Structure formats: structure tokens, C-alpha cells
Amino acid sequence: MERRELVDRALRGVEAWERRWGAFSPSPASRPDIDLAALLDTYAARMDASFPFFHPRYAGQMLKPPHPVAVAAYLAAMVVNPNNHALDASQATSPMEVEVMADLARMFGLAEPSLGHLTSSGTIANLEALWVARELAPGQAVVHSQDAHYTHGRMCQVLGVESRAVRALPDGRIDLDAVETELQRGNVGTVVLTPGTTGLGAVDDIQHALALKERYGVRLHVDGAYGGFFTLLGEHDAYRAIGACDSVVVDPHKHGLQPYGCGAVLFADPAVGRFYVHDSPYTYFTSDELHLGEISLECSRAGAAAGALWLTLQAFPLERDRGLGEILAACRRAATEFAGRIKESDRYAVHLEPTLDIVTYWPRRARMSEISVAANEILQKGMADAADPVYLSTLRVNADAFATLHPDVERDAETVTILRSVLMKPEHEGWIPDLMAKLDQLA
């Protein structure tokens, strides 16, 4: 079905629901002195400033539109407007959230029972995981990689928790020797691991980190906001180790085909739900079952997010060879092919072999400073070509790490700006020749 047909069908279901309760129209329907048609035209014109995130020529940041199935489900639920804080306000979508959280727990290999819920973002999901970690180990620090997402340092500030950033290896993975040094210093309660960093797509060695958990008794929190769904492909031992960690975050609004406003946090030990205990005199009255608001820091949460994810996972199940795994495999193939073509180029060089679907590369120059200038010029020229634009992104890399990987380049700067392409749309697989041709033209 096309997107319009999907949306129309979903809305017809909502209209049938509305008719059960009698005629309905918004009051007021509109202001007579306002030309809504003209306003919508103005709105469409303003939206025209957006980059084409849906198109494979957009190979820049971690942006893509939700799948039409998710759009249809979200829009239909949004009209009803359930609030997944309590069953009182979400009789349909709260059970859907419980189901999708069970699906995600199985994907990560968490033992039953676990505890989890959707959030409005990966930031809030990580905040909740670190908050629980603080409650379990008050006064103890959180250790994370300097290449981990910046949210961990910020959320530690919010929580009043000491954060310690340790060095990353040249390939972007956390240096577990540096982690162990911090653990030997003492007063560390949690170590954050990332299976898919947002810069390089590096996958931390979670398997070996489990030995540190055993030796020092620390909690392991996995920030799979970007790379978590790659668990389905089973390419890295790190993903098979997630089930033995204490908490994990994933963002369905990235590789889960969802609109923004859909993150998720899961805890291996359901007993941490005790930290969420609170009382409300006017909610939680329709059922004695657990209300999702009783295990969430957020109060009002869009039931539409749960409905959209539920329907999407019915259409694209969490399986390797069909459904969502098949889509992720196409993204991996695109990244592998793109990196292969760059290696054959005399204009560009690969910075790191892609681990997921993020490819980092640089225009061949003799000095680090010249690479940075050329990368920025290529980025701007690509976007400025009105007839045939291409959208890339850049990444600032520490000069030490760059020099380790590319010793023949003269070091004359402390950082190097390189090019970065996130090939997170399966359509990218068929567009790699065009992307490479455009890059050659820009160089």
C-alpha cells in the first residue's frame, strides 16, 4: 500500500470508533476570519526548506523518515490521543507498549522477567538508566568513553553524579584497560558501553567488559540508542553479550522506522521498579495491573508512539532474515560497498572500515590541516549544487587517533575534520554508484 492509502485506511478505523460515540466535530471548527487553506500553503512553503531526508542522496546525519506503516499508525492513534502514563488513558496502547517491550527484551537476550518502557527519546532513556544506577550505587562515579554520546556527561551533571571519560582506541571503541584503571582507583558504580557510537559506528567490546563486571562488581549500561537494532544481524560478539548487562537503551526512532519521540530503556532486574514508586490520588484507578507510569520518570507519554511501534513490528518483525533485520542488512551492504569504492579511489581514503552503516573517509591530502579544509569545502559544495545536491556530514577526529591509523599524513593540527556518511536507509544500497560519482565530481 502507498502511504496515502495506509493513512486513509487507518483514519477510517478511527472514524468508525468515533461514530460509536456519536457525531463529533472540533469546536470551533475554524475561525471564520482565518483562511486555513492559505495558512496550510504557507506552512508547506516553510517546510520546503527541509533537506530531503527521505532520499538516498541524503547521506549525512542520522536522519530518515518513519516508515509509512508507522506514520499511518501514529496518525490514527494521535487522533484518539491516548496517554500511556496510565491505563486510565490508554486502554489500547498501553498493552501494545508492554508487547513491544517484551519483543525488545527478547531481541537483546534479556532473561524474563525484565522491566522496561518507551520514552520520548534516547536521552531520557539514558537518564533513567543512569538514575537507577545512582540509586543502586549512591555517590559512585559513572565511567564512559570519550567517544560515547555526550548525553552521558550531561545527564550525570543533571543527576549530580561524577562522570569519568576515558580514552577511546583509535578505532573508536572504549579502551577497557583505561576502564580497569578507573575501577582500580575505586568508587565507580557503572560503566557505559556503546554498541555503535554516533560518530564512527564503533562497537565496544561488551563481551570482555563482562569480565570487569564480574571482577569489580560494577553495573554495565549499554547505550544502544543508535546501534542496538543491529543485534538482529548477529555480526558481532558484543551484541550477544548485551543480555548479561544490567540495562540497555535503544532508539526506535532511528533504525526502528519510527517518528521522533520514541526511545526505550530496559532493565535486567525488574526489582529496580521500586525506585519509581510514587502515589497519585487521581490516576491508576481503572486496574490493579502495573501502569506504565509507575515505572517511568516521565508522566504523559504519547500512546501513539507505542501504537506506531507495535504495528511496525507486526509488519517488520525483529528477525534477521526478514522484517527489520532484512532492512538493516541492506544498510550494512551499502556501507561495505561504499567503503570498497572509496578504497579504489585515488581522491579519497577510508578512515575506518565500517562496523555498522556509518562510513568515514577523507579527501587525500598530504597534511591534516589540508584534509580539514578540503572536507569542509566538499560538504558545502555538495549542498550548494541546486541541480544535483548531495548531503554529507563531517566528523572531527583527534590527531593522535588519525595519525595512528594514517601515519603517512603530516601532522600539523590537533584535530582533523573528515567526511562521514550515515547509510541508514535501505535505498542507499542502490544509490552507491551515484554517490561515488558525485563525490568524484566534488573532489
Side-chain angles (χ1 to χ4, degrees), residues 228-287:
F229 281 109
F230 282 95
T231 300
L232 295 172
L233 299 186
E235 290 186 340
H236 305 286
D237 290 341
Y239 287 107
R240 288 187 283 276
I242 291 176
C245 295
D246 297 284
S247 55
V248 58
V249 159
V250 68
D251 264 0
H253 67 226
K254 290 189 172 73
H255 282 107
L257 311 178
Q258 299 305 292
Y260 277 110
C262 188
V265 60
L266 298 110
F267 298 97
D269 181 7
V272 302
R274 67 188 185 274
F275 298 119
Y276 289 95
V277 170
H278 64 281
D279 186 34
S280 169
Y282 59 91
T283 54
Y284 315 136
F285 64 87
T286 59
S287 172

Side-chain angles (χ1 to χ4, degrees), residues 3-334:
R3 180 171 59 184
R4 184 181 295 274
E5 185 180 355
L6 283 166
V7 169
D8 286 346
R9 190 176 185 88
L11 289 178
R12 284 200 299 271
V14 174
E15 289 165 357
W17 172 81
E18 288 177 341
R19 284 195 296 272
R20 287 176 49 202
W21 305 101
F24 167 79
S25 62
S27 179
S30 64
R31 286 174 50 190
D33 59 326
I34 296 295
D35 186 344
L36 283 178
L39 278 178
L40 286 170
D41 289 343
T42 300
Y43 175 75
R46 294 290 295 268
M47 290 299 294
D48 191 58
S50 303
F51 291 156
F53 306 130
F54 70 95
H55 197 279
R57 71 170 61 247
Y58 187 88
Q61 303 290 1
M62 297 168 169
L63 294 167
K64 66 176 181 179
H67 192 277
V69 168
V71 172
Y74 195 101
L75 181 58
M78 184 181 67
V79 174
V80 180
N81 206 26
N83 179 351
N84 270 31
H85 176 69
L87 284 167
D88 312 345
S90 56
Q91 295 82 7
T93 52
S94 274
M96 292 180 188
E97 180 169 343
V98 172
E99 290 179 39
V100 299
M101 294 311 300
D103 290 339
L104 292 173
R106 281 191 292 272
M107 179 183 77
F108 287 122
L110 293 173
E112 295 184 13
S114 59
L115 187 77
H117 59 271
L118 297 179
T119 65
S120 60
S121 67
T123 298
I124 298 301
N126 279 303
L127 170 65
E128 292 204 22
L130 295 178
W131 169 69
V132 166
R134 184 195 70 179
E135 297 304 292
L136 287 167
Q140 295 190 323
V142 172
V143 171
H144 57 85
S145 167
Q146 63 184 17
D147 279 9
H149 197 279
Y150 57 80
T151 192
H152 300 293
R154 293 177 69 188
M155 293 303 102
C156 283
Q157 285 184 319
V158 170
L159 294 166
V161 173
E162 178 191 1
S163 68
R164 303 181 192 172
V166 299
R167 65 180 175 267
L169 299 170
D171 64 6
R173 295 177 301 149
I174 192 170
D175 186 334
L176 290 179
D177 290 337
V179 171
E180 185 160 23
T181 297
E182 292 299 326
L183 296 178
Q184 290 169 347
R185 281 180 56 197
N187 202 41
V188 175
T190 302
V191 175
V192 177
L193 303 163
T194 309
T197 60
T198 49
L200 294 168
V203 177
D204 286 344
D205 191 347
I206 301 173
Q207 190 88 33
H208 283 86
L210 291 175
L212 299 180
K213 172 180 169 67
E214 182 71 23
R215 191 177 308 141
Y216 296 95
V218 294
R219 287 177 62 80
L220 297 184
H221 169 57
V222 177
D223 179 9
Y226 184 74
F229 281 109
F230 282 95
T231 300
L232 295 172
L233 299 186
E235 290 186 340
H236 305 286
D237 290 341
Y239 287 107
R240 288 187 283 276
I242 291 176
C245 295
D246 297 284
S247 55
V248 58
V249 159
V250 68
D251 264 0
H253 67 226
K254 290 189 172 73
H255 282 107
L257 311 178
Q258 299 305 292
Y260 277 110
C262 188
V265 60
L266 298 110
F267 298 97
D269 181 7
V272 302
R274 67 188 185 274
F275 298 119
Y276 289 95
V277 170
H278 64 281
D279 186 34
S280 169
Y282 59 91
T283 54
Y284 315 136
F285 64 87
T286 59
S287 172
D288 292 332
E289 296 178 33
L290 181 69
H291 293 250
L292 290 166
E294 296 178 279
I295 55 167
S296 171
L297 283 183
E298 295 177 272
C299 293
S300 296
R301 294 180 305 113
L309 182 56
W310 181 87
L311 187 62
T312 303
L313 295 187
Q314 302 305 303
F316 302 99
L318 296 173
E319 298 178 18
R320 176 178 179 174
D321 297 324
R322 67 186 189 102
L324 199 56
E326 189 176 16
I327 293 172
L328 291 168
C331 300
R332 280 286 294 128
R333 290 193 298 269

